[in-house]
Amino acid sequence: MKYHVWTAVRAFAGLFIVSSCASVPLDGGFRGVQEQVETRSGAHIHWIQGKPEDREVVEQIQSMLSKKLSADEAVQVALLNNPSLQATFEDLGIAQADVVQAGLLKNPVFAARVRFPAQEGSNNTEFSVEQNFLDIILLPARKKLASEKFKQAGFNVGSAVLNLALEVRSTYYTLQGDQQLLAMQRTVVQAAESASELAEHQHMAGNISILDLSNQRAAFHEAKVRLMQSEAGIVAKRERLSSLMGLAEPDNIWKIKAVLPELPHQEPPSGALEDRAISQRLDLAAARQQTQILQRALSLARFGVVSPVTLGVNTEREADRPNLLGPTVEIGIPIFDRGQAASARIQSQLRQSKKQLEAMERQVRSEVRIHRSQLLAARARVEYYRDNIIPLHEQVVHLSQRHYNYMLKGVYALLQAKRNEIDVRSQYIEALTDYWVAQSELERAVGGRLSTLTRDDGTPMKNDESEIPPEEHHMQHDEPEKPPEEHHMQHDEPKKPPEEHHMQHDEPEKPPEEHHHHQGGKPR
């Protein structure tokens, strides 16, 4: 008997040693998340844990910030530097610790009793060690359940990474479009200021009324207000993008590329996007994993019918009697609680999870169709501005310039034509911004980059291409280009007489009666 007791004690000790040897890896599961993110976004993530590699990441971030950021680089900085994302990575460590905890046996219970005689006699001592036997049987099932939760944590972390990447990309394009609009609005303010100054001189000379002068002044001040509103909006968007990239105030000196990328040549088919979203959305994968978790939990809950079984060893000693040693067993009697309530709860949760998964899949398909239609609508607007409206306004400005040269139109009519052209170009920039934001939203719905987008020649499309279509070159404001009409807004320059204009053009002279319709663009 003594031999069997010591064998049982050694078995308990062995279980304790084996279970206590388990450790929690600091980067448990992170490599899998890295692969998921790189496959879907092409970006790299890093978990800052005080390792030598952290310094290399800091240098990589500084290198990207030292030049004008592309959208891909802004995303990369955010994924490496955003502190909220680093906090999310800790969910992996928590889930991994839960897996290890699920593989640990509960500690055995040691009990000791000492009883003293009421009269003469010897003391009675009793010692026992007990272990929950059911806990040992359920250990593999608990570990499996914790492993399923760990997989779900990985999907949730990967989904958070992709959501951040797509938010950064959307914010980047919005800021980029606003910066282009701001540069155009500065040109509008300069033109309005010149027109106001010209109106002042003409009014002093008696060539225009106070009404015309007030209109020019109002146009100038309204343009200044719109410029101030745009500048304030850009400051807010820069702060938002800086926050997403995890940059502190001293690092807030970054710049982005000045011009939005051109339209890609084609869009992916809707059906392929829906199937791709269903297969690669990580939030959908996490929802499917929740169903797996509940199925495991339901299997484990069925063991609730079995009452806890505690096995142990007990020894009792008295001075006037031989020592007593033997096993102990404690079994609960499942009369009232047989785990039926817990099992019913999990069954309801499982049915609920399946319905939620079904609804989520339908919602994902709907999101893809909605964002794709918005993308196509934005593309159609951009192409219509580019191919129809902007060329028409360019023609209007050209003809207005010619009529002004022949003194058939006044300078204000020419300025208005140019302002209209700039307004149309601003609307084109807004439409192009909407297109890229819509593409970011579609990528969010699909759950990754639209790598199936290809050019007509089969080469993959790059979202950050800085190629600028011919009609956009004069929109680049890093090197502002003086609009043609500004040459006519310089009041110090003497105007050429009508006959000089005719000498510069091959156009036939207008009939004399047309000159009677001249609107007085030249001071009398």
Side-chain angles (χ1 to χ4, degrees):
M1 177 62 73
K2 185 176 181 181
Y3 172 77
H4 293 297
V5 171
W6 282 111
T7 300
V9 172
R10 284 196 293 269
F12 279 126
L15 287 173
F16 173 76
I17 293 172
V18 169
S19 59
S20 62
C21 285
S23 60
V24 183
L26 291 177
D27 60 346
F30 186 69
R31 188 178 301 278
V33 177
Q34 270 184 327
E35 293 174 356
Q36 291 173 356
V37 171
E38 290 179 3
T39 300
R40 289 163 175 78
S41 70
H44 177 71
I45 57 175
H46 176 76
W47 190 357
I48 299 174
Q49 294 177 304
K51 296 181 179 178
E53 295 84 3
D54 297 349
R55 184 59 192 168
E56 298 177 4
V57 170
V58 172
E59 293 174 354
Q60 183 183 357
I61 293 172
Q62 294 300 325
S63 174
M64 287 187 286
L65 293 176
S66 64
K67 54 186 179 182
K68 289 186 177 180
L69 291 170
S70 66
D72 288 338
E73 289 169 336
V75 169
Q76 187 59 80
V77 171
L79 297 192
L80 294 176
N81 200 49
N82 186 289
S84 298
L85 187 61
Q86 292 293 322
T88 303
F89 291 157
E90 296 296 338
D91 289 343
L92 295 173
I94 295 171
Q96 181 71 6
D98 291 341
V99 173
V100 175
Q101 180 64 46
L104 298 177
L105 290 174
K106 292 183 179 177
N107 294 326
V109 178
F110 172 77
R113 295 177 182 173
V114 179
R115 291 185 284 268
F116 302 97
Q119 297 177 356
E120 293 184 356
S122 59
N123 296 338
N124 176 277
T125 58
E126 184 177 351
F127 302 95
S128 64
V129 177
E130 296 177 343
Q131 177 70 39
N132 189 338
F133 182 71
L134 186 61
D135 185 56
I136 300 174
I137 295 176
L138 295 181
L139 182 65
R142 287 207 319 267
K143 290 182 65 176
K144 193 65 179 176
L145 178 61
S147 297
E148 298 290 353
K149 291 182 178 178
F150 176 71
K151 290 179 183 177
Q152 188 185 40
F155 291 140
N156 286 331
V157 171
S159 179
V161 173
L162 293 177
N163 284 337
L164 174 62
L166 295 174
E167 186 176 1
V168 170
R169 195 174 297 279
S170 178
T171 306
Y172 177 95
Y173 287 133
T174 304
L175 175 61
Q176 197 174 33
D178 285 356
Q179 288 190 169
Q180 277 189 259
L181 292 174
L182 179 67
M184 298 184 75
Q185 287 175 344
R186 285 174 177 156
T187 303
V188 170
V189 169
Q190 291 173 358
E193 185 177 15
S194 299
S196 179
E197 292 175 357
L198 174 61
E200 293 280 357
H201 291 298
Q202 289 188 327
H203 177 67
M204 292 176 63
N207 292 336
I208 62 172
S209 65
I210 185 65
L211 175 61
D212 294 333
L213 174 61
S214 298
N215 283 332
Q216 296 304 321
R217 285 174 174 172
F220 169 56
H221 292 299
E222 289 171 3
K224 285 187 68 176
V225 169
R226 286 194 291 270
L227 178 64
M228 288 187 285
Q229 290 175 337
S230 297
E231 289 174 340
I234 284 180
V235 169
K237 289 185 175 65
R238 275 188 62 88
E239 284 294 334
R240 177 58 183 160
L241 186 55
S242 183
S243 175
L244 291 173
M245 291 192 295
L247 301 178
E249 183 63 26
D251 300 325
N252 199 15
I253 55 175
W254 47 270
K255 296 180 181 178
I256 64 172
K257 291 186 176 179
V259 181
L260 286 164
E262 63 175 316
L263 285 180
H265 288 197
Q266 59 187 11
E267 305 295 346
S270 175
L273 291 178
E274 291 181 35
D275 294 340
R276 187 172 176 181
I278 295 298
S279 64
Q280 76 171 7
R281 283 267 298 245
L282 292 179
D283 54 346
L284 264 180
R288 293 191 193 98
Q289 193 63 27
Q290 178 65 19
T291 302
Q292 295 291 329
I293 290 170
L294 291 172
Q295 287 175 341
R296 293 279 181 189
L298 182 60
S299 301
L300 192 59
R302 290 186 177 126
F303 281 94
V305 179
V306 181
S307 298
V309 179
T310 303
L311 302 179
V313 179
N314 181 277
T315 178
E316 185 175 356
R317 178 181 300 176
E318 288 187 20
D320 53 352
R321 292 194 305 172
N323 294 341
L324 300 176
L325 180 66
T328 62
V329 177
E330 293 182 4
I331 302 176
I333 303 175
I335 299 177
F336 306 109
D337 183 5
R338 298 190 298 274
Q340 64 272 30
S343 179
R345 177 184 176 84
I346 295 176
Q347 286 177 353
S348 295
Q349 290 177 329
L350 179 59
R351 290 193 296 271
Q352 183 185 51
S353 177
K354 289 180 178 178
K355 290 296 182 184
Q356 288 175 340
L357 176 60
E358 181 182 350
M360 193 172 178
E361 288 179 346
R362 293 182 182 181
Q363 180 65 27
V364 166
R365 288 186 180 276
S366 176
E367 287 179 7
V368 171
R369 290 193 294 270
I370 291 173
H371 290 301
R372 186 173 184 277
S373 65
Q374 292 175 344
L375 180 72
L376 295 179
R379 181 188 189 91
R381 283 173 54 212
V382 172
E383 291 176 340
Y384 202 81
Y385 273 112
R386 183 192 63 193
D387 300 335
N388 297 284
I389 301 179
I390 290 180
L392 280 175
H393 277 270
E394 289 176 341
Q395 186 179 15
V396 168
V397 171
H398 176 72
L399 293 176
S400 298
Q401 179 73 56
R402 181 181 297 178
H403 285 201
Y404 172 76
N405 291 341
Y406 289 124
M407 301 184 68
L408 300 177
K409 281 185 178 294
V411 65
Y412 299 116
L414 176 60
L415 288 173
Q416 186 59 46
K418 189 59 186 177
R419 277 198 290 265
N420 291 340
E421 184 196 5
I422 293 176
D423 288 342
V424 167
R425 291 190 181 279
S426 298
Q427 294 165 15
Y428 167 80
I429 296 299
E430 291 173 353
L432 190 58
T433 302
D434 291 343
Y435 172 83
W436 287 112
V437 172
Q439 193 193 75
S440 298
E441 293 299 324
L442 180 57
E443 289 177 342
R444 186 198 304 274
V446 173
R449 300 300 310 277
L450 302 177
S451 58
T452 54
L453 285 175
T454 56
R455 294 196 175 281
D456 292 339
D457 59 1
T459 57
M461 183 199 74
K462 297 179 179 178
N463 288 336
D464 296 324
E465 285 178 335
S466 57
E467 297 176 9
I468 305 166
E471 65 272 19
E472 291 186 49
H473 277 291
H474 57 285
M475 297 181 194
Q476 295 187 54
H477 307 295
D478 286 346
E479 297 177 0
E481 196 171 307
K482 184 179 288 185
E485 72 279 9
E486 287 191 28
H487 296 289
H488 301 284
M489 290 187 283
Q490 305 297 323
H491 312 300
D492 295 334
E493 294 181 2
K495 291 187 176 180
K496 295 179 180 179
E499 58 271 18
E500 289 187 27
H501 289 291
H502 294 300
M503 294 174 62
Q504 294 177 352
H505 299 283
D506 297 332
E507 296 289 335
E509 290 188 9
K510 299 292 181 183
E513 60 271 18
E514 291 189 8
H515 292 278
H516 295 297
H517 300 290
H518 179 47
Q519 302 299 316
K522 187 176 179 181
R524 286 178 295 186

